[in-house]
Every structure is written in C-alpha cells, then in structure tokens.
Amino acid sequence: MSFVPCLVDRWSEENNSIILTWKQNERGLEPNQNVLKRCCSESRKLLQKIQGIPAATERLELEMTVSYNTFLFSLSFSNASEIEESLTHSLLRALEAAGSQVSCSDPVQLWEAVLQTLGSSVYVPYVHKLLLIQWMLWLMQCQLERVLTLLMQTDHKNVFHSSAPVNLQTETRNLALSMEEDSSLMVAMTAKDLKDLLHICTVICQGVEQMKMEKYSEALDIFQEAKGLPSPRSLLAQIHTLPGQSFAKLGQPHCALHFYRKAVEVDCACHSALYQSALVFRQLGNPKAEMEALHLLYSAVQLHSDKSSSSASLVSLATLLGGEQMTFISRVPSPSLILHTLAHTCVFNGSISDGVEYYLDLLASLQSDGKDLIHTGEGASFPRIPVVYLEAGFALLKAKRYSDALVVCEEVITSTLDFIPERLLLDADEKQNVADSDVVLENVDFVLWAGAAHLLQAQAHWKLKDTKEAITNFTRSINNLVKVLIKQKDWKQKHLGNTEAMVERMVTLEAAKGQALAGRGFCFLERGELKEALRDLHLSFQMTPGSHIKMLLSEVLWRLDRREEASAHWREAYSTSDAPKSVNVPLYLQLWPDDTAFDFSELKKKMVEYIQAKKT
Amino acid sequence: MDAVRCSVEYLSEFGDCQSHSVRIVQDGTSLFLTSGDRDVLIFNVQERRVTTVMQFDASVINLALSDDKHRLYALCLNGGLYCTLIPPQISSSSVLVNKSSDGVLYTVPDDSIVLKNASLQAFTVVEKILVTLSIHKSVWSFDLYEEPGSRPLHKLACFQVVTLNTCCLSKTEKDKSVSSPPVLTCIYPEGSTSVSTHKSDLLPYLEPHLFRLLFGVDASLVNSPVILCGLPDGRICCFPLFVPTLAGPRGEQRSPVRVLQSLEQPVVFIGTCISGEHGPQCLVAVGQRGKLLMVKSKQTSLEGKKADYSFNEHTVRGPVLCACVDDKWLYYSSLNDLHALQLTTASSSSEATGTESQLQALTSDSLGVCRVIALAGPYTNSTGSVQLLAVSLSGRLLCVNLPQGSENGNVPRLPSSLAGQRVKDLLASIANIWERAESLKHKLQEKNESLKRLNQVINVCSLLLDNHGNEKACDVGTKLPISCRGVARWSSLLQRDSLTLTCVLENSSGCTLEHGWTLCIQVHPLSKGPNMEDSSRTYSFPFKKLDSGQKLDVTIPLESTGGLSLPVKVYCSLAFSLSALFSPEASSPGVSQLLTEMGSISAPLSTLTVDWLDALRLEGSFSHGNIRHNTVTNGIQAFLHSRGVLTKDSDTTTKSGPITVMVRVSSELLKTKLHLSATRSPETCVSVLNWLVSPEAIGQPSVQSPVICAYSPDGCSVKLLVKEVTLGDFCSDGPLEVLEIRVESTSVAAVCGLHHAILRRLQVLLRDSALKCGHIKQLKAQSLFEAVRHVESLFKDLQDAQNQAALGGTMKMKKNSEILFRIFLQLRANPLVIL
C-alpha cells in the first residue's frame, strides 16, 4: 500500500491549513464566527475521510490530532453528548489500531483500556489531548466525580500506592500530562493552554458547588487556590467576586467589598461584582455608595447590551462552566430591574432629580421596547407596573413637576378603574383558600393604587394652589380607600388567611387614608372650613397618629376658640419628638418634610402666650 | 333570496394532504404552503404558479414569517426549528422571458436550525421575539428567544404551565388531542404602535377596555402584546409578552401565564372580531368540536360598579378543522362544508333576548365548498370582494371569493334552479374528466400491448435466426421450431388442372405467432422463357394467430400467366410489419406515422424447389378428361404445325420419335443413400422410382412397377423406367451393379426437365457422398478411356457445330440446331455412371 503515506501527508497538510486559517482569524481584530463554522465543517469532513479507512498505527497520530481539533471546533455547534459519542468512536478506533478489542461503551472503562494500551507508547501526547476533551465534556456537565476518576486513571502510581484520600484539588495540581506538541501536526489550541483553562475552571466549579451547599469557608479555601493559577482575564474577576460573595454570606461585608473592588479593578465590566457590592452597601446603610454602584452597574449593563456580540473564541467559559454554574456566577437582574432599583434608591434617599430622570427612563423603556423587560428573572422580581407608575408620579411630585405627576397618576386611575369593586368586604372568620385570597389581595391592591393615585393628584393640585380640585381628589381617594371594609375589629392580629401580606396592605391602606384625610383637612383649614377640617384631622389622627397632625389639630381648635383642647394637643405634639419615617409603607406614600409646609410659628407664639397666661 | 354565491377559483393542485399538517401563510402575493411533507412551496398567487420549493430535512409541521417578512421559520417533525432567508422571488418579467423556468428547488441547509428540541409543539414570531411552546413531562413551557439572534438563540424567558391531569380522557382521545397542535396567537391592545404601523386587519387587537380586563393592568399600562395559546386540552392561556416577571400579591414571583378559560376540547383558532354593529373588538376562540367562545366586555353602568366581561359560549356543528375571521364573519370549515357565521347578529340578538338565546346553536351559512382543511385570509381585494385562500383535502389550492352582498347579512345560498344547473354542470365536468381518464388509461394499455407484441416479435426473430444457423450446421434431420414445407399437387378447378404448391407452416416453438406476422412465399422460376421476363411472384398470407403446435396450410398456384415454367424455386419467409404493433384502432397516430414502408421485419424460413418430377402426373391418379383436353391442345398444335405456323422446338419434337435419356447410378451407392433394405433388383428399382416421384411418401409406395407412365405438365406422356444392369467391364473389382434411370418421351422439354430434375435430386442426395463412401471402386482404365473418348468426340462435334454456326448465317440455323440436338441426345443416351 504505497498510497497510504502519501494520504497521511496530504491529510496532515489539510489539517494544518485549516488550523492556519483559524489562527489567522483568531489573531485578527474581529474574530469571525463564520470562519469558525467553516473550520469546523472542514475539520469534520477531514475526520470523516480519515475514519473512512481502517484504523492503523501509522495514521494514529494524525487521526487523534484531527479528532482533537474537530472536537474543539465543534464545541460551539454541537452539544456535549454528540461530541462524547464521536470521542468514544475515536477511542475505539485507537484501540483497534493498537490491536486490542474493547466493545464496552462505558467511558470510564474505555479510558482505562486506552490508557493501559497506549499509556506507554509514543502516542501518549495524543491520547492525553483526547483525555483533555473528555475532561472538558465532563466539566461541562459538572460531573466532577468522573473527572476525578479519569485523572486518577492517568496517574497509575496514585491508584495503587497512595492510601491517602484523593481529592480533585490535589489530583489536578499534581497531574502530569504529556504536553509535547508535534510541529508537523498543528492543533487549534495547545494542550497546555487547554489544560490550564480546564484546571482553573474545575477549581471554580468545585468552589461554586461548595457555595451552593452553603459551605462558604470551604469554598473560600478553594478560591484561595484558584488565585494562584493562570487564568484568563474575564475569569479573574469572577475569582475575586466569588470569595467576595462567600465573605458576604459569612457576615464580613467589608472583606466582601474588598474582593469586589479587586474584581472591578481587574474587569471594570464585572456586573456581578458591582451588583453584589450594591447589595452590601445597602446592607451597610450607605445609600450614596449604593447609588453609585447601581449607577455603574446600569451603565455597564447598557454598554454590554450594545455590544452583545458573541465571542468567537474556541472554548468559551460559558460552555465550560455549564449554563447553571455561569448563571450562578454572573447573576445580575435585568436592566429594567436595575434601573428601577436605582431610581427607587435615589428617590428614597432624597436625590430626587436623579431619581426622576431614572423613573422617566424606566417608563420610556417600558413603553417602547419590551425586550429589556423580558428576562429570566432569577430571584428578584419586578414590581407591579402601577406601582412603578405611582412611584414615578411621586418622584415627579417631589421634583415639583406637578402636571407630569398628574398625567402619570391619571394613567393608573384609568387602568385600575375597571377593577375596583363596589365594596370589598374582608371577613376574617371566613376560611379562604389561597387562590381566593390572592384575588382579594389583588382587589385590595387595585383599591390602594387608585386611592394613592388620587391622593398624589390631590397633592399635586394642592401644590398648584388649586385647593378645590385638591379637595375633590382627596375625597375621591378617600371614597376609594374606604371601599375596603374589614369585618373584624382587630385586623392587625393575624387572622385572615395569609395575613402577613394582608396586614401589610392594611397598614398601607390606613396610611393612605390617614394622609388623604389629613390632606383634605389641611385644605379645609386653608379654606377656613374649620368644622370639616377638624373632622378630617380627627379621623386622620385616628388612622395615623403623628405630631404634625396634632399640631394641625391644635391650630384648628385654636381657631375654633377651643383653646384648652388646642393647648393640650400642642403640648402633646411638642413633647413627643417627630415620629420616625414610616418605613413600612411604599415609597409613594412616604411622608416628606416639606409636606408640613405650614407656618406654625404664629401658633407657637400664641400657644406659648396662652400657656404662660394659664400658668400665671 | 339573492342569487349571490361564492365563487371558487381553482389555483393549483399539490397532491394529497394530511388534514392536520397543512399550513398556509400568506404574505402579499406569496403564499407559503406546506402539506405535511418536506417541502414548503412558495406560491405566487398572481402568477398562479409555484415559484420556489424549499426543501427541509424532515416533514414541516408549522410555518411562520419573521416580522420583516424576510425570513421563514419552519418547525419540522425532527424537532428542529429552521430559520432561513426566503429565497428571492423570480420576478414576473423574467418569467415572461423564460417561461419554462418552473419552481426553483432550494434545499434548506442543515445549519439553518436555530433550535432543536424534539418536544417543540408550536411557535410564533412576534415583535422580534420568538415564542416557542414545548411539552416535556407533562409541563407546557413557553420559551422566549431574541429573534434575529445569534446562534444559539439567546433565551429571554421561560414560563411553564402544568398539563391538566386528564384522567377522564381515554388514550385514543389523548392521541387525538396531541395530534392537533396548540394554537398561538398574539393579540395587541388597540392603539399600540405595532397595530398602527402594520395593517390593522392583519393583527388581531382588542379595545383597551377589554384588553385591560382580560390581561391585566400591567399589560395594558405597558401596551404589551399578549400571547394567547389554545392548548390541546382546551385551555386558553395567556401571558403578556413585554411585562417583566412581576411580584405576586405576597411579594413572591408569580408566573405570568394565566388560564383564561377552557373550551374542554382542542382549540382550533383564536382571533378577534367586532362585536355588535360597530362595536368594539371581542375575542373569539373556536374548539375542534364546535364550541365557539366569545369574550366581550359588558356594558357597565356608569358609576361605581366593577366592570366585567362575559364569556359567551355557542355551539356550531363540528368538527371544525380550521377557521379564520374577518371583522364580522367567522369562516370555518367542517369537513363537509365551509361555513360563514355572522358574529355580529349573533351577539346583538343575544343581547336583545337575553341569555337563553346565547345557548342556542348559531346557524351558519354554507358556502358550498367542501373538504377545506386550511384557510388563510380573509383579504379584501381591489374590487372589494373578500377572498379566502383554502386548501382542500385533495391538495387543491382554492381561492374563495365571497360576495360583497354578504354584507347585508343575506345567506349566500343557491336557489334551487341554479342548484340544479350547478349539479348538471358538475356532472358534466365529472363526465369529461372521466372520459379523459379513460382515454389515458386506454392509451397506456395500448402502449403495454405494443411492447408485449414487440417482445414477441423479437423472440420469434431470434428463434428464426437460430433456425438459420441450424440449417447450415446440421441437416434437415432435426426438427426446426418454425418450419415451412411444401408439396406440389395437381388440382383441378373449373375443368382445368393446375399445379399448386401447398405450403405448411408449422409452429412447433413455444411462441405464438401473433397478429401481424405474414407468411411470404416467393415463387421464382429458374429458367427464363422468352415470354416471361420477370416471372417471379410473391404471395403473402397474413394470419391472425398461430399458436404453438398449430399448422397453417396455404396453397398457391405455380402457374403464372405465362404458363408453367419448371423448375421453380420457392422462398418461404416470415415477415412482420411494425405497423401491426399498433393496433388499428390505436389513437396514437404519432408513432405509426413514422413507420415507412421499411417498417417490417423479414426472416427467411426455407427454400423449396419444385421441379418436373414434382409436377409429373402419374397415370391413373387423375381423371382422363383433363388429359384429353391436353391432347386436344396437342391436336390443335398438330393442326397448326401442319398449317406451317411452327416453332422450331415443336418441329423437332414432332419429327423425331420418342427421345430417351438415361442416368446411371451405382446401385450400391443409391441403396446406402436411400437406406433401402431391398436386395432384389426389381424392388430396388421400384423404391428408387418411388423416391423420385413422391419423395414424401416413402412408406407407402405409390408405384408398384419399375416403369411409370405419366404425363408431364404440358400433357405429353412420359415414361420413367428404372432397371438394374450389370456392367462387367467397368470396374476392375468385378461386375458393377448399376441402376439405369431412363426417361422416354416424345417431348424434348419433358425429357430435359425430368433429366435435370433427376440429376438435381441425385446431386442433393449425393452432395457429400465422397466423404462418406470410403470404398472407392477401382475403375477399369479401358472403359474409362472409352467413355472419355466418346465425350471428347462429342465435344469435337460440338465445337464443329459452333464453328459452323459462327461462320454460317441464319440460313444454316436449322441445320445447326439439328446437329446440336443430336449431340445432346448422344450425350444423354450413354451417360457416365455416377458412383
């Protein structure tokens, strides 16, 4: 058979030309996915040709090299099981060439046979290349146990002589693979590079597994080792982020922040580090830092979505670490949720103007392109859209853009109008199942949203000095809110089916009612309708006791010439310090210092005079 | 009643379809059609032809176009979702130039698979988002992908719905429900940007009020389109496309998929239409067994009361195979008919009379188109009529033109008179088609027949060719599969005796000689008389059929107009005319036209020779009347001779007495050759004479004596004698027994003819005697010498006579001939012995 060496030459040449094309593409500025695709199909064809004739030892090196290249190329185009199948086929052919027949298809046994047959021959470098592929495939499927067995098989001595418990870490560390490269047979990725990549990825995978089992200190040990290993840049950031997350879980936020900062230093587009640090800042109560982190994250996410080009690298980390692992590592909420969190944090912490801009951005993105909104929302979920609208309206109101606030609230009113029941009776004694209570809760929500929208509108009108319109809207808000009737006196006790959510709703409802009544009372006061003002303020005080309302009450009573009562209220209000900000209620019902835009100095003077006069 | 009815235009035919797998998608003039096989046909509605055939790897079960209409998504049976650019259409102008260009076959490459998942059931492409529905382990999952995305597709979201535990359904019903795939429809809120930018009639939309009620505050605030899915178990699920995963009432994550309603039967169609006269849009869903669900918003009282919507269920006659809707009409096909259902009247009447009428079955109007299994449309064309495109079960693509008159709510039903006419028309067209089919069948049969015949002919020809070879190799001994033998006989007809040749064609081969074969017999006189320039004649006998083992007897006269001239060679052959391949009533003149006169095959069978011996009439074997007649002619001739009107030949015959010629053959030779067992010489003589006169009947000799008196064909009496003589001095071994065959007659012609005939027969008999007779007689030189000298003297005389003839003119002609005649007689009278 004189043509065989000639064929071997030709095929090696073909292989080398494919690799050269790929290398050239890899070196280029914009690696092209199509080139990869072409290389893949050409390499596959070549492999088919080679495997078309019976296996023989003189072609074994060529065949194994081409297999190795083909598997690397096809990583992006075919799934692991397909590659594994052809890998098994290649191994069987290698054994056939070596003259031993193994019919089993179990990869572990197959590898044992291959390593025994070819383990001490000149083909070791090639066998080890295929072994790396097997390692990679199992790593992709997160089958670390099998990787360990495979690597132990490679090192015969360990299997027989060491009685010490083997673990993957030491095994990978001490792994001695033959890495010689044959210059006449080119490969798409040198075995050493692949081995290093696999090594670091295996370590990270182990660490992530530990984290999933909530063994954070063990995970930290593993990540400690990972730092010493050579790794690509994008992975380096993760190597810092993951221990940061572990530290955060272990209750060491400052250590965590340290690691996150390192991660961002390595890769400024490391989303998860930014997100995690924002969470830590919130935990630490550092709103400024939190806002900054969120802002950075948001801009990074937006930049990323602009690029969003799939890299044409041969072995991407995403494929190596499997889908689940990667999502665990780089878990970041959707851009719209980040934007909402950012806007919410801004408004909540008083940087209104930024918050308003973010809210407007969010509303615009909700209206225009839906694609950002759709996201595999792991963990965090987006607030209901009317809530977002109400928050935006609130922010606009605070930013003194009253007419805009009116428009936004009007949207909520029209959309909820159809859902508002005539009256909603909540009967605690009735046993409700979850589905029913869900419906009830949803209805309460509708009432609440409509009421809050009217309330915000009323406040806007009031700010616009249109007290009449404001009173109308306050009234509407109250009318809405009182549709929810509770057939139980002590509703704060957990009686209703699900309660915690219900209690929360009730608190919110009461707060809204209180605000509405107070607002209307204040308006009446301004208009001089003191009786109505007194009634509303009394009711409001019942709902939400507060020094501010007390002072208003004393003002009204004073004007009504009920001085004794007025002074009593005044003293009460004056003695208790200002009530703390009610954290439990939603953002859009938060009380604001400037709400109390009433000049109490006159009253104060009179009160002081009156009290002193009484004393004397 | 109006005489309006829908007209059905037949556009094309694609072959049989499976009812559940036909999909049609229309985009402008292009119609994408799949009938459940691997091909997607792109049909140009205007040009009415298939412009492109796209071939996929596996059977296509669903189709959709991308938003920009540049890409076609196809879901195949192998679980692969293919996305391929629609190949550019050949513009009609180029078609005019090149009319012959049929559809272009475009094989969709394997790598255009964007998604491979064997559990994929349905998909749709909405607003650059690909929504797929797959079922895996009794969980329906909706997956959202970015549409013109990188490969693998970027998954945006995934929602899941658990299948209903339908224990009450039997297995078969389950199978059936699986066979009807889920229906995915996207419904927009009115006024959303995509509705206003697209042609609004293409996208189903709902008025904001109902939209909000049905799909929630969030979807309506975001103006998100909503995906509705009719599952095979009858549930109608919906989820808004562009709403992020929202928090539930308790702050937990909640699946956006909601179940609107269950039809409790597989859902066939979901769409929207106008409810009421100019009312807002309402949602319509149709189930396979005829349940029709309409969701309308209730007209609420102005203040306070919570607004509501109503589910109205109606029943139409199922099964519903497919449906489509325009503003006011629902068109649906049961297998028997295509129905049009006016939804507006149904709703208004139900409002008028209350809830009872809602339950009653709606009556729908038949459009008279049956077996429709897929619908596209409806579209309003330029003339204002509404068109539906439909595919029938037999694979016909139909364009159903709905009359404009349907606007007024009239039933487009046929009046009975027209119906009768229509039935007649249809029957007539059925008859036409039947005729065409019959004629085609007939043609096919003819062609088959022709081929069969041709095969027979070729078989026979090869048999005959083998014959030919055999004839040369071995002798007559072996029986040939197809042979022809001939016997000359005298027969009397109309008081006149004539010599006829009876030929027997025997077919002992396995083949049947079919119609079209002809037995050709060519009679060719060997001697050319002065008055018969071209006297060869051909007789042909076409026969119907000659089965194997059958014989065909034909009789031909040997006399021609110029009288009988012997000997005669008869060539028998079988001929076949190719035109017989085509049966005479064949309606295909095309091929037989091409056959010229050359279109025949001729295969030689055998060659016979009829000589004087064959033509002899033995005394006693015929009635004397005829001979007398002959003698009368002789008499007349004699009379004419006496008057001096004489030919020279007859002159000589009359003058000289009976002429005798003789042939001598060694009797031993003859005996061995004829396999005669007789030892006594008289018996031998009789046998030899028998052989000469009637060679066919050696068994029963017709002659008992060694002398035969017979009449020659021209009526002269002839005597044939055979006797054995012993030549003592001839052979050196001793006396040689020699048979002497002698012919005596007054007619020179008869003598000559018989002599020639005897010699010819001996010649045939002894053709290879030299090889077979090893024993060579030692001849005596003396007698041989004498014989040679005798011949030499005769030769000298002949030369002299020739010289004289050359020198002398016509005057000496007579004398010359006399001399020649004498030489002739001497030569014949004492011939050499044939050993």
Side-chain angles (χ1 to χ4, degrees), chain B residues 752-766:
Chain B
C752 289
L754 284 170
H755 181 250
H756 172 255
I758 289 165
L759 280 180
R760 193 188 66 85
R761 297 216 178 165
L762 284 173
Q763 205 179 354
V764 169
L765 188 69
L766 305 175

Side-chain angles (χ1 to χ4, degrees), chain B residues 108-122:
Chain B
V108 177
D110 196 29
D111 57 6
S112 56
I113 289 190
V114 289
L115 211 61
K116 183 128 185 172
N117 179 0
S119 55
L120 272 183
Q121 296 284 314

Side-chain angles (χ1 to χ4, degrees), chain A residues 542-555:
Chain A
Q542 275 176 20
M543 309 267 176
T544 49
S547 60
H548 174 63
I549 294 175
K550 273 239 174 276
M551 284 162 96
L552 281 178
L553 263 177
S554 87
E555 168 79 24

Side-chain angles (χ1 to χ4, degrees), chain A residues 33 37 76 310 336 366-367 369-371 373-386 389 411-412 414-416 418-422 434 437-438 441-443 445-446 449 483 498 501 505, chain B residues 111 127-129 144 146-148 150-152 155-159 208-209 212-214 216-223 241-254 304-308:
Chain A
Q33 186 87 7
K37 201 173 199 174
S76 331
S310 61
S336 49
L366 285 177
Q367 284 293 336
D369 53 355
K371 212 169 281 177
L373 299 173
I374 308 168
H375 199 269
T376 41
E378 294 279 330
S381 54
F382 204 77
R384 295 293 300 265
I385 306 291
Y389 270 68
E411 285 275 317
V412 179
T414 46
S415 69
T416 51
D418 300 321
F419 296 96
I420 291 169
E422 198 165 10
V434 179
S437 71
D438 272 1
L441 279 178
E442 179 127 9
N443 281 331
D445 275 342
F446 287 132
W449 293 334
K483 281 183 178 169
N498 46 18
R505 298 285 194 292
Chain B
D111 57 6
E127 299 282 306
K128 297 193 174 165
I129 285 174
L144 274 60
E146 218 168 318
E147 193 249 307
S150 57
R151 237 164 267 165
K155 194 174 189 171
L156 293 166
C158 171
F159 314 126
H209 180 63
R212 195 160 54 226
L213 288 172
L214 284 178
V217 186
D218 307 282
S220 86
L221 273 176
V222 177
N223 265 336
L241 194 61
F242 288 157
V243 173
T245 324
L246 297 171
R250 284 182 207 92
E252 81 285 351
Q253 270 201 334
R254 139 186 116 147
K305 227 189 145 189
K306 188 180 166 186
D308 205 359

Side-chain angles (χ1 to χ4, degrees), chain B residues 503 517-521 539-543 552-556:
Chain B
C503 283
W517 285 100
T518 309
L519 177 63
C520 289
I521 301 173
Y539 302 89
S540 52
F541 302 92
F543 47 87
L552 174 75
D553 291 17
V554 295
T555 305
I556 54 165

Side-chain angles (χ1 to χ4, degrees), chain B residues 634-655:
Chain B
N634 277 359
I636 292 167
Q637 265 199 342
F639 171 71
L640 288 174
H641 287 170
S642 65
R643 300 300 297 174
V645 192
L646 293 173
T647 59
K648 285 157 201 168
D649 298 348
S650 51
D651 198 13
T652 45
T653 44
T654 42
K655 275 183 186 169

Side-chain angles (χ1 to χ4, degrees), chain A residues 576-590:
Chain A
T576 55
S577 59
D578 223 16
K581 204 180 271 177
S582 45
V583 194
N584 295 357
V585 295
L587 177 67
Y588 52 87
L589 289 179
Q590 292 290 337

Side-chain angles (χ1 to χ4, degrees), chain A residues 25-44:
Chain A
N25 174 54
E26 209 176 25
R27 246 176 276 130
L29 281 176
E30 282 189 9
N32 195 346
Q33 186 87 7
N34 290 336
V35 176
L36 178 58
K37 201 173 199 174
R38 208 169 54 235
C39 287
C40 177
S41 69
E42 277 175 12
S43 181
R44 240 180 239 174

